Amino acid sequence: MTPSQTPTLDTSTIRIIGSEDRHVAHNYHPLPVVIARGEGAWVTDVEGKRYLDLLSAYSALNFGHRHPALVAAAEEQLGRLTLTSRAYHNDQLGAFAEALARLCGKDLVLPMNTGAEAVETGLKVARAWAYRVKGVAQDAATVVVANGNFHGRTTTIVGFSDDPQAHDDFGPFAPGFVSVPYGDAAAIEAAITPQTAAVLIEPIQGEAGVVIPPDGFLREVRDICTKHNVLLIADEIQSGLGRVGETFACDREGVVPDVYLLGKALGGGILPLSAVVADEAVLGVIRPGEHGSTFGGNPLASAIGLRVVEMLASGEFQTRAKALGEHLEAKLAELVGHGVTGVRVAGLWAGVDVDPARGTGREIAERLLGRGVLVKDTHGQTIRIAPPLVVRATELDWAIEQLKLVLDA
Ligand SMILES: *Cc1c(COP(=O)(O)O)cnc(C)c1O
């Protein structure tokens, strides 16, 4: 690393990072930068340095930092009502649910907060559906998942993760999950038994490094699920809501899952807001009192979520992601063989495998930080690029230029 690329930290940065290190549990290893402001695709640190944000809070910031339409929706609702719990009705949830159900082409929405809660909710719904509709014997239901999955951090979910960091030392784990290789439809079919309630799958595996399954895989899985009377649950928490140049990653193959799991960008980068979306025949199995959340469906999150859905309904962000993604893909392809060993791109979302001779993913991310570009490494040698969908092509070009420079350093 040359001096010009070394992040030079001033005293306020060191002090803030120091107090975080002393008093915040060490469940993350953040890059050494302290962000104080954000606007669109850009953030500013406490020293006033600007950075292009190519992580977008793991796609929770698809619309960028403080999108004016989303801030306006939040501010308007802050002045009226923020929380009621579901003990009462509020005047925002119905409109949000109606708009989201329409966007998904489904009947019902079950609102939660975090992505992991949406996954847990989807699993509960699938099990209840298996017992009450499919006729599976009590406590016998199974769910087929994929190797390399990431569905969140709760104890049930990490139980079927094969990432040792996510999984080890957190058992005992809930039974009822079978994991098969990702992208292998035949392996899914072989794992299905009369007790199978659902197949839970990421249409593209984000945390695994933007791993895209073979063409036709999702369509095959759809057919297999239909044939065996098994629910197809698509975890679109990271892949959905415009990221891949379509509303959902399933749209790339014209596939409609039985259940959508949504989160991250649904809250507009302002609040945690997640949802399970499905038809009455599936989500209708949940009866009053069987599931809930104090904050789920709160009016503030609903007002923001409604605006998010309205923004997606125009198709403008999907079109933008598709065009910018093609641009990004062409630029990244030029790097293969020049410090990059592989690139996977879907819409405005890329996994870039860095040649170990040029450094680890973490080292590349740190050097990019020194040049004003924020990315995050995943699984050692991969860096993930997921800019806000409001980024400009010229800004992407500049960021790729910085990547070239740090790879050659
Ligand atoms: C982030 C993520 C989750 C978990 O969401 P949280 O809001 O962090 O709980 C689940 N599934 C996928 C695919 C994700 O990317």
PDB file of all heavy atoms in Angstrom, residues 114-116 119 150-152 202 207 235 237-238 264, ligand 1:
ATOM      1  N   THR A 114     -37.147  -7.408  10.434  1.00  0.00           N
ATOM      2  CA  THR A 114     -35.871  -7.782   9.820  1.00  0.00           C
ATOM      3  C   THR A 114     -36.074  -8.918   8.821  1.00  0.00           C
ATOM      4  O   THR A 114     -37.104  -9.611   8.828  1.00  0.00           O
ATOM      5  CB  THR A 114     -34.876  -8.251  10.884  1.00  0.00           C
ATOM      6  OG1 THR A 114     -35.386  -9.438  11.493  1.00  0.00           O
ATOM      7  CG2 THR A 114     -34.651  -7.180  11.928  1.00  0.00           C
ATOM      8  N   GLY A 115     -35.035  -9.124   8.010  1.00  0.00           N
ATOM      9  CA  GLY A 115     -35.076 -10.210   7.050  1.00  0.00           C
ATOM     10  C   GLY A 115     -35.174 -11.570   7.727  1.00  0.00           C
ATOM     11  O   GLY A 115     -35.951 -12.437   7.303  1.00  0.00           O
ATOM     12  N   ALA A 116     -34.372 -11.760   8.776  1.00  0.00           N
ATOM     13  CA  ALA A 116     -34.393 -13.050   9.469  1.00  0.00           C
ATOM     14  C   ALA A 116     -35.796 -13.366   9.982  1.00  0.00           C
ATOM     15  O   ALA A 116     -36.231 -14.525   9.945  1.00  0.00           O
ATOM     16  CB  ALA A 116     -33.389 -13.047  10.616  1.00  0.00           C
ATOM     17  N   VAL A 119     -37.818 -14.713   7.161  1.00  0.00           N
ATOM     18  CA  VAL A 119     -37.475 -16.110   6.882  1.00  0.00           C
ATOM     19  C   VAL A 119     -38.141 -17.019   7.915  1.00  0.00           C
ATOM     20  O   VAL A 119     -38.768 -18.029   7.569  1.00  0.00           O
ATOM     21  CB  VAL A 119     -35.940 -16.306   6.876  1.00  0.00           C
ATOM     22  CG1 VAL A 119     -35.596 -17.782   6.699  1.00  0.00           C
ATOM     23  CG2 VAL A 119     -35.298 -15.472   5.766  1.00  0.00           C
ATOM     24  N   PHE A 150     -27.482 -18.093   2.771  1.00  0.00           N
ATOM     25  CA  PHE A 150     -27.521 -17.121   3.871  1.00  0.00           C
ATOM     26  C   PHE A 150     -28.954 -16.627   3.999  1.00  0.00           C
ATOM     27  O   PHE A 150     -29.477 -15.985   3.094  1.00  0.00           O
ATOM     28  CB  PHE A 150     -26.588 -15.924   3.639  1.00  0.00           C
ATOM     29  CG  PHE A 150     -26.640 -14.971   4.800  1.00  0.00           C
ATOM     30  CD1 PHE A 150     -25.830 -15.163   5.916  1.00  0.00           C
ATOM     31  CD2 PHE A 150     -27.544 -13.915   4.822  1.00  0.00           C
ATOM     32  CE1 PHE A 150     -25.908 -14.322   7.022  1.00  0.00           C
ATOM     33  CE2 PHE A 150     -27.626 -13.061   5.925  1.00  0.00           C
ATOM     34  CZ  PHE A 150     -26.810 -13.267   7.024  1.00  0.00           C
ATOM     35  N   HIS A 151     -29.572 -16.930   5.137  1.00  0.00           N
ATOM     36  CA  HIS A 151     -30.954 -16.483   5.353  1.00  0.00           C
ATOM     37  C   HIS A 151     -31.102 -15.678   6.646  1.00  0.00           C
ATOM     38  O   HIS A 151     -32.233 -15.405   7.060  1.00  0.00           O
ATOM     39  CB  HIS A 151     -31.897 -17.691   5.388  1.00  0.00           C
ATOM     40  CG  HIS A 151     -31.966 -18.454   4.099  1.00  0.00           C
ATOM     41  ND1 HIS A 151     -32.585 -17.957   2.964  1.00  0.00           N
ATOM     42  CD2 HIS A 151     -31.494 -19.668   3.741  1.00  0.00           C
ATOM     43  CE1 HIS A 151     -32.494 -18.848   1.985  1.00  0.00           C
ATOM     44  NE2 HIS A 151     -31.832 -19.892   2.424  1.00  0.00           N
ATOM     45  N   GLY A 152     -29.984 -15.335   7.309  1.00  0.00           N
ATOM     46  CA  GLY A 152     -30.087 -14.548   8.533  1.00  0.00           C
ATOM     47  C   GLY A 152     -29.380 -15.230   9.686  1.00  0.00           C
ATOM     48  O   GLY A 152     -28.656 -16.212   9.489  1.00  0.00           O
ATOM     49  N   GLU A 202     -32.428 -18.906  -2.250  1.00  0.00           N
ATOM     50  CA  GLU A 202     -32.091 -17.568  -2.754  1.00  0.00           C
ATOM     51  C   GLU A 202     -31.974 -17.697  -4.278  1.00  0.00           C
ATOM     52  O   GLU A 202     -31.166 -18.492  -4.757  1.00  0.00           O
ATOM     53  CB  GLU A 202     -30.750 -17.099  -2.197  1.00  0.00           C
ATOM     54  CG  GLU A 202     -30.701 -16.893  -0.694  1.00  0.00           C
ATOM     55  CD  GLU A 202     -29.255 -16.924  -0.183  1.00  0.00           C
ATOM     56  OE1 GLU A 202     -28.600 -15.874  -0.196  1.00  0.00           O
ATOM     57  OE2 GLU A 202     -28.794 -18.010   0.220  1.00  0.00           O
ATOM     58  N   GLU A 207     -24.707 -13.368  -0.128  1.00  0.00           N
ATOM     59  CA  GLU A 207     -23.588 -13.445   0.809  1.00  0.00           C
ATOM     60  C   GLU A 207     -22.532 -14.427   0.334  1.00  0.00           C
ATOM     61  O   GLU A 207     -21.350 -14.271   0.625  1.00  0.00           O
ATOM     62  CB  GLU A 207     -24.076 -13.861   2.208  1.00  0.00           C
ATOM     63  CG  GLU A 207     -24.999 -12.870   2.868  1.00  0.00           C
ATOM     64  CD  GLU A 207     -24.385 -11.488   2.960  1.00  0.00           C
ATOM     65  OE1 GLU A 207     -23.296 -11.347   3.513  1.00  0.00           O
ATOM     66  OE2 GLU A 207     -25.021 -10.540   2.444  1.00  0.00           O
ATOM     67  N   ASP A 235     -36.236 -16.470  -1.156  1.00  0.00           N
ATOM     68  CA  ASP A 235     -35.673 -15.431  -0.298  1.00  0.00           C
ATOM     69  C   ASP A 235     -35.106 -14.345  -1.206  1.00  0.00           C
ATOM     70  O   ASP A 235     -33.996 -14.455  -1.718  1.00  0.00           O
ATOM     71  CB  ASP A 235     -34.592 -16.008   0.619  1.00  0.00           C
ATOM     72  CG  ASP A 235     -34.011 -14.943   1.563  1.00  0.00           C
ATOM     73  OD1 ASP A 235     -34.251 -13.747   1.313  1.00  0.00           O
ATOM     74  OD2 ASP A 235     -33.326 -15.327   2.527  1.00  0.00           O
ATOM     75  N   ILE A 237     -34.707 -11.235  -0.212  1.00  0.00           N
ATOM     76  CA  ILE A 237     -34.398 -10.144   0.720  1.00  0.00           C
ATOM     77  C   ILE A 237     -33.273  -9.262   0.196  1.00  0.00           C
ATOM     78  O   ILE A 237     -33.326  -8.038   0.316  1.00  0.00           O
ATOM     79  CB  ILE A 237     -34.094 -10.727   2.118  1.00  0.00           C
ATOM     80  CG1 ILE A 237     -35.397 -11.277   2.726  1.00  0.00           C
ATOM     81  CG2 ILE A 237     -33.452  -9.695   3.041  1.00  0.00           C
ATOM     82  CD1 ILE A 237     -35.208 -12.171   3.945  1.00  0.00           C
ATOM     83  N   GLN A 238     -32.265  -9.900  -0.423  1.00  0.00           N
ATOM     84  CA  GLN A 238     -31.166  -9.121  -0.992  1.00  0.00           C
ATOM     85  C   GLN A 238     -31.284  -8.986  -2.511  1.00  0.00           C
ATOM     86  O   GLN A 238     -30.905  -7.970  -3.090  1.00  0.00           O
ATOM     87  CB  GLN A 238     -29.819  -9.769  -0.621  1.00  0.00           C
ATOM     88  CG  GLN A 238     -28.619  -8.891  -0.922  1.00  0.00           C
ATOM     89  CD  GLN A 238     -27.313  -9.362  -0.302  1.00  0.00           C
ATOM     90  OE1 GLN A 238     -26.241  -9.013  -0.780  1.00  0.00           O
ATOM     91  NE2 GLN A 238     -27.353 -10.130   0.756  1.00  0.00           N
ATOM     92  N   LYS A 264     -34.697  -5.795   3.641  1.00  0.00           N
ATOM     93  CA  LYS A 264     -33.663  -4.843   3.220  1.00  0.00           C
ATOM     94  C   LYS A 264     -34.250  -3.584   2.544  1.00  0.00           C
ATOM     95  O   LYS A 264     -34.735  -2.718   3.233  1.00  0.00           O
ATOM     96  CB  LYS A 264     -32.612  -5.558   2.369  1.00  0.00           C
ATOM     97  CG  LYS A 264     -31.810  -6.569   3.223  1.00  0.00           C
ATOM     98  CD  LYS A 264     -30.436  -6.889   2.672  1.00  0.00           C
ATOM     99  CE  LYS A 264     -29.575  -7.556   3.738  1.00  0.00           C
ATOM    100  NZ  LYS A 264     -29.491  -9.005   3.654  1.00  0.00           N
TER     101      LYS A 264
HETATM  102  C1  LIG B   1     -29.650  -9.986   4.734  1.00  0.00           C
HETATM  103  C2  LIG B   1     -30.355 -11.222   4.384  1.00  0.00           C
HETATM  104  C3  LIG B   1     -31.216 -11.863   5.299  1.00  0.00           C
HETATM  105  C4  LIG B   1     -31.369 -11.408   6.721  1.00  0.00           C
HETATM  106  O1  LIG B   1     -31.826 -10.088   6.828  1.00  0.00           O
HETATM  107  P1  LIG B   1     -31.622  -9.285   8.211  1.00  0.00           P
HETATM  108  O2  LIG B   1     -32.444  -8.042   8.022  1.00  0.00           O
HETATM  109  O3  LIG B   1     -30.157  -8.998   8.337  1.00  0.00           O
HETATM  110  O4  LIG B   1     -32.132 -10.159   9.297  1.00  0.00           O
HETATM  111  C5  LIG B   1     -31.908 -12.984   4.869  1.00  0.00           C
HETATM  112  N1  LIG B   1     -31.773 -13.456   3.628  1.00  0.00           N
HETATM  113  C6  LIG B   1     -30.947 -12.877   2.718  1.00  0.00           C
HETATM  114  C7  LIG B   1     -30.845 -13.446   1.339  1.00  0.00           C
HETATM  115  C8  LIG B   1     -30.203 -11.751   3.074  1.00  0.00           C
HETATM  116  O5  LIG B   1     -29.362 -11.203   2.195  1.00  0.00           O
END
